[in-house]
Amino acid sequence: MGTRIGITKIINLSLSSGSFPLLLKHSLVTPLLKKPSLDKEILSNYRPVSNLSFISKLTERIALSRINDYLTSNSLFNLQKSGFTKRHSTETLLTSMYNKFVSAISHQQVSCRCLLDISAAFDTIDHNILLKRLSAWFGFTDTALTWIQSYLYSRSFSVKTSDASSQSYPLTCGVPQGSVLGPLLLILYTTLLSSLIKASSVDHHLYADDTQLFISFSPNSFSESIERLLHV
């Protein structure tokens, strides 16, 4: 009972003060092969999964619940985005795409799809840009914004393979893969991309760090339609 009360106090104090404890910001990164069939000698075939402390993940989970409630109640989630959000799974994406392609076929149109992938998406998040977008696009202010800033800044990591561990290094950008808040922060960070695409005449759907651009058109306008897709 005493331990439970102590953990509750730590979490409540962190959220109310807008400060994420420094001791919880260190992660132990374990490189995991993305697929068993991949070449173990090629470093890009590994995914850097971060092992974080129990209290760190528990604190993130409470914060995630509150942020999700805020975004949902204010209709701030990107409807063109699937993955890492409630009721927006792979099935949602496939159903949406299937419906649009079938509708195009019924109007005697052909469709073209372009798949984009952000390499090492979780590692490319700029903390300052993310904080500006959270403030300008999603209305994060005061303690909430300060807490996320504290969560992002002054992080560190060590890499562990077998029984050997590296020295600690500062984490100046990105969010830890394996964290609870990381996927949601990635979604909010890439929302601007969706807004930019909407300004064009090309349709799109995002899933996690993957972007799908697609366009439906009459076969007679093939060349100009493909050109429009390529210049998004």
Side-chain angles (χ1 to χ4, degrees):
M1 179 64 71
T3 301
R4 183 181 302 174
I5 294 175
I7 293 176
T8 302
K9 285 185 176 181
I10 292 174
I11 295 175
N12 287 338
L13 182 60
S14 172
L15 296 175
S16 62
S17 65
S19 177
F20 194 82
L22 183 62
L23 291 176
L24 304 182
K25 295 183 183 183
H26 184 77
S27 57
L28 194 61
V29 177
T30 304
L32 297 178
L33 201 61
K34 295 178 181 179
K35 296 180 181 179
S37 58
L38 295 177
D39 189 345
K40 296 181 180 180
E41 300 300 321
I42 301 177
L43 296 181
S44 60
N45 289 338
Y46 288 86
R47 179 178 289 108
V49 176
S50 298
N51 293 318
L52 303 166
S53 70
F54 169 75
I55 299 180
S56 173
K57 287 195 170 185
L58 191 58
T59 306
E60 289 184 63
R61 193 168 297 279
I62 301 299
L64 176 67
S65 176
R66 296 185 181 184
I67 294 174
N68 275 331
D69 289 343
Y70 165 74
L71 295 173
T72 301
S73 62
N74 290 280
S75 302
L76 294 173
F77 274 116
N78 181 9
L79 297 179
Q80 299 299 115
K81 182 81 174 184
S82 296
F84 306 132
T85 52
K86 193 174 183 179
R87 299 189 183 92
H88 289 275
S89 60
T90 51
E91 289 80 3
T92 308
L93 170 62
L94 292 174
T95 301
S96 174
M97 299 290 291
Y98 178 81
N99 179 68
K100 290 178 179 180
F101 290 154
V102 169
S103 177
I105 293 174
S106 67
H107 289 85
Q108 297 183 333
Q109 294 180 323
V110 294
S111 299
C112 181
R113 183 171 60 148
C114 178
L115 305 181
L116 306 177
D117 179 64
I118 303 175
S119 180
F122 284 88
D123 300 326
T124 59
I125 295 178
D126 183 291
H127 295 162
N128 293 328
I129 294 176
L130 172 60
L131 291 170
K132 289 178 181 178
R133 290 180 182 175
L134 290 178
S135 175
W137 284 73
F138 300 99
F140 283 71
T141 59
D142 303 326
T143 305
L145 188 62
T146 302
W147 187 89
I148 295 178
Q149 177 178 314
S150 177
Y151 170 80
L152 293 171
Y153 288 178
S154 302
R155 301 195 72 94
S156 61
F157 71 97
S158 300
V159 179
K160 180 180 180 181
T161 57
S162 300
D163 295 326
S165 297
S166 72
Q167 66 184 72
S168 178
Y169 293 94
L171 186 65
T172 57
C173 63
V175 292
Q177 292 194 46
S179 64
V180 176
L181 271 179
L184 176 62
L185 293 178
L186 175 65
I187 288 175
L188 301 181
Y189 186 75
T190 56
T191 294
L192 179 60
L193 173 62
S194 187
S195 298
L196 293 174
I197 297 174
K198 284 180 181 178
S200 70
S201 58
V202 174
D203 207 343
H204 74 288
H205 204 104
L206 289 74
Y207 183 84
D209 58 342
D210 296 322
T211 302
Q212 302 191 42
L213 307 176
F214 53 94
I215 187 171
S216 298
F217 49 88
S218 168
N220 296 327
S221 60
F222 179 84
S223 297
E224 52 265 40
S225 297
I226 296 300
E227 189 72 17
R228 190 163 70 249
L229 177 62
L230 294 175
H231 285 82
V232 173

